[in-house]
Amino acid sequence: MIKVVKLNKSFGNLHVLKDIDMTVKESEVVVLIGASGSGKSTLLRCMNFLEIKDEGDIIFDGNKIDPKTHNLNKVRERVGMVFQHFNLFPHKTVLENVIEAPVKVKKIQKSQAVEEAMELLNKVGLVDKRDEYPSKLSGGQKQRVAIARSLAMKPDVMLFDEPTSALDPELVGEVLITMKQLASEGMTMVVVTHEMGFAREVGDELIYMHDGKIVERGNPKDIFSNPKMDRTREFLSKVL
Ligand code: ADP
Ligand code: MG
């Protein structure tokens, strides 16, 4: 679904991504872990073309994406992204948030968009909140709306950048359950998280990044029980 080849990205003199190679297969859940500043968000943002790589290739569904010639908005429609801070439209209701992009960007009929949005709200357990404004929701509910809103564009891949990091501890579980359900339905996902339980249980592959490089990758259970690299061991000893 996504192939990243020798990706390099710098901000000024700061070399943030160094020769990143990565493959995300259809229906696979890849979990990215690593210390703050190791380049996880930048990697996700490059995969969504919110940042443009300096060198290397991003191949999406078999097509090498050239930012100069491809319509990046069209590519972005197929790659959903959920952020730490939910970025809902505060002056729109839950339902309006979910139908906004399908109606405005995809030009889908409003009645159809509402029907699909209701299915998604049902999936994330928030049908009864359809007419509420985001300010009336808990953080966990807001994040579930953000997930529904992203799904409304029918993406092929979902990228999650620390989706539970801004939540009170008691609200983390409900968002993880929603993500787990999505994974079990076969959604292709790349997830940056500090939730090691989720990584172990749901991840097909775990990637540990340090200082812009991939240090270790493999089956999450194998890495947690027996990390090969000292750096991975050191990191895991702090977070497990
Ligand atoms: P992580 O998500 O793993 O914490 P990031 O990808 O956010 O790491 O950041 C990696 C490095 O790149 C950090 O040193 C960060 O300060 C820097 N960085 C990220 N975005 C920008 C930017 N837009 N301009 C300059 N530096 C940036
Ligand atoms: Mg980050």
Side-chain angles (χ1 to χ4, degrees), residues 9-12 14-17 33-45 51 161-162 192 194 209 212:
K9 172 75 184 170
S10 298
F11 294 110
L14 189 65
H15 195 176
V16 174
L17 296 177
I33 62 171
S36 176
S38 56
K40 308 179 297 296
S41 294
T42 304
L43 177 53
L44 281 196
R45 292 169 64 82
E51 299 285 356
D161 194 356
E162 301 198 30
V192 174
H194 300 293
M209 284 181 71

Side-chain angles (χ1 to χ4, degrees), residues 144-237:
R144 286 185 284 146
V145 174
I147 293 171
R149 184 179 59 172
S150 198
L151 292 173
M153 291 298 275
K154 301 196 170 81
D156 297 318
V157 184
M158 286 282 284
L159 310 178
F160 292 87
D161 194 356
E162 301 198 30
T164 61
S165 294
L167 301 178
D168 291 335
E170 74 274 20
L171 303 177
V172 168
E174 64 191 61
V175 173
L176 294 181
I177 286 170
T178 299
M179 291 168 62
K180 206 184 294 184
Q181 184 191 339
L182 204 53
S184 71
E185 289 168 3
M187 178 58 81
T188 309
M189 297 167 46
V190 182
V191 183
V192 174
T193 188
H194 300 293
E195 294 293 330
M196 298 299 152
F198 177 88
R200 184 195 298 267
E201 200 181 329
V202 184
D204 296 299
E205 185 178 44
L206 186 74
I207 292 180
Y208 169 60
M209 284 181 71
H210 176 80
D211 195 20
K213 285 192 273 249
I214 294 179
V215 172
E216 185 158 354
R217 70 176 92 208
N219 179 295
K221 292 182 183 77
D222 295 345
I223 294 181
F224 286 136
S225 60
N226 188 22
K228 292 200 172 59
M229 308 300 281
D230 290 341
R231 231 185 241 303
T232 316
R233 189 183 310 275
E234 192 188 329
F235 177 77
L236 290 176
S237 72

Side-chain angles (χ1 to χ4, degrees), residues 58-95:
I58 297 175
I59 299 157
F60 184 70
D61 209 7
N63 300 305
K64 192 193 283 190
I65 306 298
D66 180 351
K68 292 194 190 73
T69 55
H70 273 84
N71 179 345
L72 294 183
N73 285 326
K74 282 277 169 241
V75 181
R76 282 187 203 111
E77 280 177 27
R78 301 178 59 188
V79 185
M81 186 140 176
V82 172
F83 303 89
Q84 183 173 351
H85 299 286
F86 333 105
N87 306 335
L88 296 176
F89 304 115
H91 55 288
K92 289 184 189 295
T93 65
V94 164
L95 183 64

